[in-house]
Amino acid sequence: MKTFKYNIRHKGLRLLPFYLFTFLLLAASCSSDDDMTRLNTDPTKAPDVDASSQLTTAELQTYGDLGEVELNRNYIYGFTQQLAGSWNTTNYGGRQMADDNEMQRMWTTWYNQSIKNLVDAINKTDGDETQANVNAASKIYFVYMMSVITDTYGNVPYTEAGRGYINNIANPKYDDQKDIYYNFFEKLDSAVQELNANGGKISSDVIYQGDITKWKKLANSLRLRYAMRISDVDPEKAQAEFTKALQADGGIIDNSSDDALIHYMKVANSFGQESYTDYRRNAMSMLFFGNDPANNPSYICSTFFNLMNDSKDPRTFIFARNYWDKIMNISTGENRIDVTAEVLAQGKEQPNNPGGFSWEPWPSGFHSTYLDSLAQYNPDIKAQGTDLDRECEPKLANNFLSNDNPGVVITSAEVKFLLAEATSKGWISSYGSVADLYREGVRASMDLLSDNYGTERVSDDDFNTFIQNNPVGYTAENQKRAINTQAYILHFLDPNECWANVRRSGYPQLQSASHYNFTLDPTSDGDDIPVRLKYPTLESSYNKANYNDALQRMGGTDSWHTHVWWDVK
């Protein structure tokens, strides 16, 4: 949008009559410096932006940027095999079509907006004791957003990122991911030490409302995440950093009241141009909802569905429901008819396999007597017909489609799983047994849904039965499998962390669409599920020297089958 406006202004300038243009030029040449300053100052724009507002913008953009979260729908959910069936997810992620316009979404939006805002906020508040807290919180959130970027692409601009205005760096270097991660630990440690009761207010914070005690817990909990991320490639450093995080001032996120959730507003669904910059609502939920009932974007993948259904997970039909959408109001979701009970009674549940479109193969054999009866009184249903074969395919439940749903940064459930795995590795011993921490993590994971997304709470009896039938196991590898399988379910609403943790842990073990007899796109350059996204093509022109240097350190080619530093599976 900025480029568009810029071009329009210059087009208008070229259309000015020559005599008027000459007059303005002469008038400007005779003006004083003060006049020139006034002439070149936009009275509608503030001379400076409040650092807290810049932090808030970055927070909201995380899940509020409709253009960026398309990356989740198009690629990440296809790679993790939690969704499959809609055109976007299956075409790009499921069948592995490497499209530069789609793969660059995070790079071009986060670097140009959130990272730039956070770097500026950190720079302008550096050394100002009255703004120490917003400085520290901005550092913490900068680390969080940069972790998602580097986990997605590998070696990326980090130390010079967002410093074009501050240091005139138009072509930032690409840092090695190892160096980036090592700096994460340092930056989070210093941020925790900087947060203090006299450090000023963090205003308009949509995660913790400026509560610095919780920001400390967030920083320390992220350190746990990043320590575990490098546990296979750099185990000594990982254990040391994990232990330091537990010993750091402020503690860790240990209950749901400390969960780092981004709070959004309820805003009418709109897929117009203005919706791409309206960060007030959760755009990922908006994409789950979709704008075409006939091609609902939130079909559940068989991998995700079967993993829960086969283990009799009580969340199976909290996540997955069968709907007839043909007369649904795409603005409100009204008239969406739930036919799950009939589908189950007839044994016709048919989730889409990885790489499959919802129409390929076309499901068959389900017929709804309920809709037959409704058609007698509802002409819309009668006109649409009641042959509901495709309603055999489960979709994401209505609870997750509301655009005022929170966005997840990190939760107590994840922290419990991290503690459980660290205990299994022998890193720690004072937080309880592996079995107890696993149990607490699963309970917190289930409660996250009812506490924040309005789902029915899983009863204690159902929970106890599930844990009894799905224990954590006794060997280290069985424990790792059980813990990270549960993390996979937890991270459905945090897709970037889900993909990263699947790559790091190796669980659940996923197979690409070719295993299900679907032909991958020719651009895939390999049968395995991609393990990173390629750099934007324009980087090879605009930042050529640094781009080429990064590629040489990655093996010479920009392949999405090249593992990032910490991914040694």
Side-chain angles (χ1 to χ4, degrees), residues 420 424 434-435 438 472-484:
S424 178
V434 177
Y438 168 78
V472 71
Y474 296 100
T475 69
E477 197 60 33
N478 284 341
Q479 291 173 346
K480 184 178 183 180
R481 178 187 296 108
I483 292 166
N484 287 288

Side-chain angles (χ1 to χ4, degrees), residues 183-236:
N183 188 258
F184 284 169
F185 299 125
E186 294 176 8
K187 199 174 291 291
L188 291 172
D189 180 59
S190 66
V192 168
Q193 296 179 43
E194 187 179 357
L195 290 162
N196 70 92
N198 299 315
K201 182 179 180 181
I202 307 172
S203 59
S204 64
D205 169 19
V206 293
I207 298 178
Y208 286 137
Q209 294 74 54
D211 188 334
I212 63 169
T213 62
K214 294 187 177 183
W215 274 100
K216 288 186 177 184
K217 292 182 178 182
L218 171 58
N220 294 331
S221 299
L222 288 174
R223 289 177 74 183
L224 298 179
R225 173 189 281 180
Y226 304 143
M228 189 61 69
R229 186 87 85 237
I230 68 172
S231 58
D232 288 325
V233 70
D234 199 348
E236 290 185 6

Side-chain angles (χ1 to χ4, degrees), residues 270-485:
S270 168
F271 286 87
Q273 187 62 39
E274 74 287 347
S275 64
Y276 283 86
T277 55
D278 186 354
Y279 299 161
R280 296 173 299 164
R281 77 285 177 272
N282 188 325
M284 194 169 78
S285 293
M286 197 168 134
L287 285 182
F288 286 154
F289 188 102
N291 60 344
D292 179 6
N295 184 32
N296 191 286
S298 53
Y299 286 103
I300 300 292
C301 181
S302 62
T303 302
F304 187 62
F305 180 86
N306 292 337
L307 185 149
M308 291 189 294
N309 196 44
D310 292 349
S311 64
K312 296 182 172 54
D313 192 314
R315 291 167 292 186
T316 306
F317 294 99
I318 287 177
F319 277 111
R321 306 297 298 177
N322 298 85
Y323 295 109
W324 192 66
D325 289 335
K326 291 184 179 178
I327 61 171
M328 180 179 74
N329 184 320
I330 63 173
S331 296
T332 65
E334 295 175 352
N335 302 324
R336 196 178 206 200
I337 299 174
D338 191 321
V339 293
T340 308
E342 282 195 306
V343 173
L344 290 175
Q346 295 179 36
K348 298 296 183 181
E349 201 73 71
Q350 298 176 47
N352 293 287
N353 282 332
F357 290 105
S358 63
W359 59 86
E360 183 185 31
W362 192 275
S364 62
F366 172 65
H367 186 81
S368 172
T369 56
Y370 173 68
L371 281 171
D372 278 343
S373 63
L374 288 184
Q376 299 177 42
Y377 310 103
N378 190 319
D380 292 327
I381 294 178
K382 187 173 183 179
Q384 290 284 349
T386 55
D387 185 8
L388 304 176
D389 286 342
R390 281 177 68 186
E391 274 52 48
C392 297
E393 301 169 328
K395 302 172 184 176
L396 187 60
N398 278 339
N399 297 74
F400 304 101
L401 312 188
S402 178
N403 63 31
D404 63 345
N405 282 339
V408 177
V409 176
I410 189 170
T411 65
S412 60
E414 180 184 344
V415 172
K416 295 295 184 184
F417 290 142
L418 292 170
L419 293 172
E421 189 168 353
T423 302
S424 178
K425 289 177 178 293
W427 290 359
I428 57 174
S429 60
S430 58
Y431 283 82
S433 68
V434 177
D436 286 344
L437 289 165
Y438 168 78
R439 180 186 180 93
E440 292 169 13
V442 176
R443 178 75 262 184
S445 179
M446 292 180 176
D447 289 345
L448 177 72
L449 304 180
S450 54
D451 289 347
N452 297 284
Y453 300 90
T455 68
E456 182 179 354
R457 186 179 188 273
V458 174
S459 71
D460 290 340
D461 287 343
D462 287 345
F463 168 73
N464 290 331
T465 299
F466 175 75
I467 291 294
Q468 183 178 353
N469 294 330
N470 299 273
V472 71
Y474 296 100
T475 69
E477 197 60 33
N478 284 341
Q479 291 173 346
K480 184 178 183 180
R481 178 187 296 108
I483 292 166
N484 287 288
T485 296

Side-chain angles (χ1 to χ4, degrees), residues 458-525:
V458 174
S459 71
D460 290 340
D461 287 343
D462 287 345
F463 168 73
N464 290 331
T465 299
F466 175 75
I467 291 294
Q468 183 178 353
N469 294 330
N470 299 273
V472 71
Y474 296 100
T475 69
E477 197 60 33
N478 284 341
Q479 291 173 346
K480 184 178 183 180
R481 178 187 296 108
I483 292 166
N484 287 288
T485 296
Q486 286 304 308
Y488 171 76
I489 297 172
L490 165 68
H491 292 319
F492 180 90
L493 296 162
D494 188 359
N496 293 301
E497 181 57 27
C498 185
W499 187 36
N501 198 60
V502 167
R503 287 177 287 159
R504 190 275 304 178
S505 70
Y507 294 111
Q509 295 174 323
L510 308 177
Q511 294 175 304
S512 76
S514 61
H515 173 80
Y516 298 89
N517 298 317
F518 295 114
T519 301
L520 299 182
D521 191 90
T523 62
S524 182
D525 71 38

